Structure formats: structure tokens, C-alpha cells
Amino acid sequence: MITGLDHVQLAAPPGAEEVLRAFYTGVLGMTEIPKPPVLAARGGCWFQAGTAQLHLGVENGFRPARKAHPGLRVTGIDAYAARLEAHGTPVTWNDDLPGHRRFHCADPVGNRLEFLEPDAPARP
């Protein structure tokens, strides 16, 4: 039985760790978490916010995920989008998911990321 989602793995080119750290911690506000030593030797970096973890692993011949993506729930989506844009990361809003507000952006190596917030419940 599946009980939850542990993490999402994204790929990155060799040597991209510092730019990823700056984006995922400085722009997105995530916390870098340590990789186990045997995995740390492979490069890459891991990040967490709440229960959501993103693992960025080094891949030779890297090509960014342009369609596949993690969907990250946020609160205050307008302020979050403004934060990304203030750091030079353009966002693209999309209204195709009923009951949610959402946008997409790309991380510094081109991976697609989705941010979404459920609509406020209607008041009776």
C-alpha cells in the first residue's frame, strides 16, 4: 500500500549545485538537507519545505524536464509569484485546473516547476 510521496527527483547538469542552491534556498525558500555520504559523492543536492522534498541529481548529458514537473502547493500564490519574478524568474499563469490558481516557471537549469494553491472555499 502506498502511504505517501517521499520525494521527487529532478536532474541537473554536472557542476550546477551552487546555482541550484541559490535558487531553491534563496528564491524558493526551501532548506537544503544533507545527502547520505555515499550519495553525496555523486553530486547534486536535496531540498525540503514542509513534507515536500526535491532531490536534484547530476546527470551527464542532462536535458531539462520541460513537460514533467513537480507540483508544489503554496500559500499566498500571488506573493510567491511576485517573489520569483523579483528574483528574475518569469512565471506563466495557467487557469486550466478547476479549483486552483497555478503558475509554472523554470529552475536555473531549465526544469519545469508548477506552483498551485487551492481556491478558497465558498462561504455559505
Side-chain angles (χ1 to χ4, degrees):
M1 172 195 303
I2 296 174
T3 60
L5 181 65
D6 186 77
H7 67 276
V8 172
Q9 172 92 22
L10 298 173
E17 289 87 353
E18 289 309 311
V19 69
L20 293 170
R21 285 183 177 104
F23 179 77
Y24 283 93
T25 62
V27 178
L28 297 188
M30 298 182 83
T31 300
E32 184 170 3
I33 56 175
K35 292 178 69 171
V38 68
L39 298 177
R42 300 178 190 171
C45 35
W46 293 0
F47 304 96
Q48 183 168 354
T51 60
Q53 283 191 21
L54 291 177
H55 296 182
L56 281 291
V58 171
E59 182 178 346
N60 291 323
F62 166 76
R63 290 184 355 186
R66 302 219 185 263
K67 181 70 174 171
H69 61 274
L72 302 167
R73 289 215 175 203
V74 298
T75 57
I77 196 164
D78 292 308
Y80 207 78
R83 175 186 175 125
L84 285 162
E85 289 181 322
H87 283 90
T89 303
V91 304
T92 303
W93 288 93
N94 180 296
D95 296 328
D96 294 342
L97 183 62
H100 293 81
R101 296 196 61 227
R102 70 180 182 158
F103 65 83
H104 294 90
C105 73
D107 76 4
V109 298
N111 288 313
R112 185 178 190 211
L113 304 173
E114 178 180 345
F115 298 87
L116 62 159
E117 181 175 38
D119 289 339
R123 293 185 176 173

